[in-house]
Amino acid sequence: MLLSPELLMPMGPPPQAVLDQRWLWQLLIFILGITFGLRLVGLDIAGALLSGLMLCFAVVMTRDGMQEMAKYSLVYAVLSGLNFFFDILPLITELGGRVTRTTAPGRTATDGDGIRQTSYTLTTKTIPFFDGPQGLIYNVQSLAMIMSPVCMALGVYLAITAHNEIQRHTEPFWNNGDMENPFGAGPGRNAGLGVGQGGLGLGDGPRSRGQGPMPPRPMGGTTFGAADSSLGRETFERFTGQGHKLGD
C-alpha cells in the first residue's frame, strides 16, 4: 500500500475530552455485560452473541489508555447504530403487550370421497410486557429488550463524540501548503527548482568555481521571469576582451 492506515490516523491516547468520558465507557461496558447475561438466561442466543461482540469491542477500545479509540470509534458507531435500529423496532411494537400465537390441531373428519380434513385453531393472546405468571424467562426477555437499545444508543453517542473530537484535533495529512506547493522549500527541505533564461539553478549550491554561494532562492517550485534572468546575468558574464586565433 502507498499509505498505511497508521499514517492516516493519529497514534497514542485520544484528546482529553475523550478521556474525560472514560466513566461513560465503563458504564457502557457494565450495562452491556448485564444485557449479555440477560439474553443468555432468556435463551436469546443470537442477541447474546451480538451483545458479547459489542462488549468485547468496547473493552478493546478502552484498554491501554484508550489508544485504540481512533482506530475503531467510527466502526463502533456504525455497528451500534445498526443494532439500535433492529432492537428498537420490536420494542416499539411489543411495548404495549407481547403477542403470542399458538396453533392447536382440531377435529379431523373424512368426507365421502375418502379425503381427510383436519382443522386447526390459531389462538392469539396479548400478554403484558412484564407479567409474573409467565415465569422468569419471559420477564428476563422483556428486560433484555429494554436494556439492549439503551446500550446501543449510549454506544452511538460515545463513539460519534470520540470520533469527532479526534478528527478535530488531528492535523490533516495534506496541508494547504503542500497541496499548493508540493516542491516548495520548507523546514528540513532543500530549496525549490528554478529555471531562468541564464541557466538552471538547483538548491543552494555554489554559483560557479571560485565564487561564493548563490543567494537564497525564494520558496516555490519552477519559476520563470525577471528574477531568474537577473540570476543568469549574475552567474554568467559576457566576454568583453579582444579575441585571438589559435597560433597567433
Side-chain angles (χ1 to χ4, degrees), residues 10-21:
M11 302 298 294
Q16 185 62 37
V18 180
L19 295 176
D20 292 340
Q21 293 183 334

Side-chain angles (χ1 to χ4, degrees), residues 132-231:
Q134 296 299 320
L136 177 64
I137 295 179
Y138 176 87
N139 291 277
V140 166
Q141 290 175 349
S142 299
L143 182 59
M145 291 178 64
I146 296 178
M147 295 287 292
S148 183
V150 173
C151 295
M152 300 309 166
L154 181 59
V156 170
Y157 166 73
L158 292 177
I160 291 181
T161 302
H163 178 73
N164 292 337
E165 193 69 22
I166 292 171
Q167 291 299 316
R168 191 169 65 89
H169 286 78
T170 301
E171 184 177 354
F173 184 78
W174 299 107
N175 54 39
N176 294 332
D178 290 338
M179 291 298 294
E180 297 174 357
N181 186 17
F183 299 102
R189 303 179 186 175
N190 294 328
L193 174 65
V195 180
Q197 297 179 358
L200 178 65
L202 293 173
D204 296 332
R207 297 174 57 186
S208 61
R209 183 177 299 177
Q211 296 185 3
M214 184 182 297
R217 297 298 307 278
M219 295 175 61
T222 304
T223 57
F224 297 89
D228 296 289
S229 300
S230 61
L231 177 63

Side-chain angles (χ1 to χ4, degrees):
M1 296 178 61
L2 181 60
L3 297 176
S4 61
E6 288 76 10
L7 295 178
L8 302 178
M9 62 181 58
M11 302 298 294
Q16 185 62 37
V18 180
L19 295 176
D20 292 340
Q21 293 183 334
R22 180 189 292 271
W23 69 275
L24 288 175
W25 283 98
Q26 294 174 350
L27 177 63
L28 174 63
I29 292 174
F30 177 73
I31 301 177
L32 280 173
I34 295 177
T35 306
F36 174 72
L38 291 175
R39 285 185 160 179
L40 283 180
V41 175
L43 303 180
D44 184 8
I45 305 302
L49 289 177
L50 287 176
S51 299
L53 175 63
M54 302 305 294
L55 174 62
C56 296
F57 223 148
V59 171
V60 170
M61 293 169 61
T62 55
R63 67 181 182 182
D64 298 333
M66 306 178 76
Q67 295 190 17
E68 303 292 335
M69 185 64 63
K71 188 182 299 183
Y72 299 116
S73 58
L74 183 59
V75 178
Y76 195 85
V78 173
L79 293 178
S80 297
L82 291 176
N83 288 330
F84 174 80
F85 176 77
F86 289 110
D87 285 340
I88 199 65
L89 291 181
L91 178 62
I92 293 175
T93 57
E94 297 185 1
L95 195 59
R98 296 176 60 181
V99 178
T100 59
R101 295 177 176 86
T102 57
T103 303
R107 186 175 58 87
T108 302
T110 304
D111 58 9
D113 297 332
I115 300 177
R116 187 177 181 180
Q117 296 179 350
T118 302
S119 61
Y120 292 87
T121 302
L122 176 63
T123 303
T124 302
K125 184 179 181 181
T126 302
I127 306 174
F129 197 74
F130 289 101
D131 190 17
Q134 296 299 320
L136 177 64
I137 295 179
Y138 176 87
N139 291 277
V140 166
Q141 290 175 349
S142 299
L143 182 59
M145 291 178 64
I146 296 178
M147 295 287 292
S148 183
V150 173
C151 295
M152 300 309 166
L154 181 59
V156 170
Y157 166 73
L158 292 177
I160 291 181
T161 302
H163 178 73
N164 292 337
E165 193 69 22
I166 292 171
Q167 291 299 316
R168 191 169 65 89
H169 286 78
T170 301
E171 184 177 354
F173 184 78
W174 299 107
N175 54 39
N176 294 332
D178 290 338
M179 291 298 294
E180 297 174 357
N181 186 17
F183 299 102
R189 303 179 186 175
N190 294 328
L193 174 65
V195 180
Q197 297 179 358
L200 178 65
L202 293 173
D204 296 332
R207 297 174 57 186
S208 61
R209 183 177 299 177
Q211 296 185 3
M214 184 182 297
R217 297 298 307 278
M219 295 175 61
T222 304
T223 57
F224 297 89
D228 296 289
S229 300
S230 61
L231 177 63
R233 289 193 297 269
E234 293 176 0
T235 306
F236 303 98
E237 298 181 357
R238 184 182 298 275
F239 179 73
T240 58
Q242 182 179 2
H244 300 276
K245 295 182 179 180
L246 294 177
D248 291 350

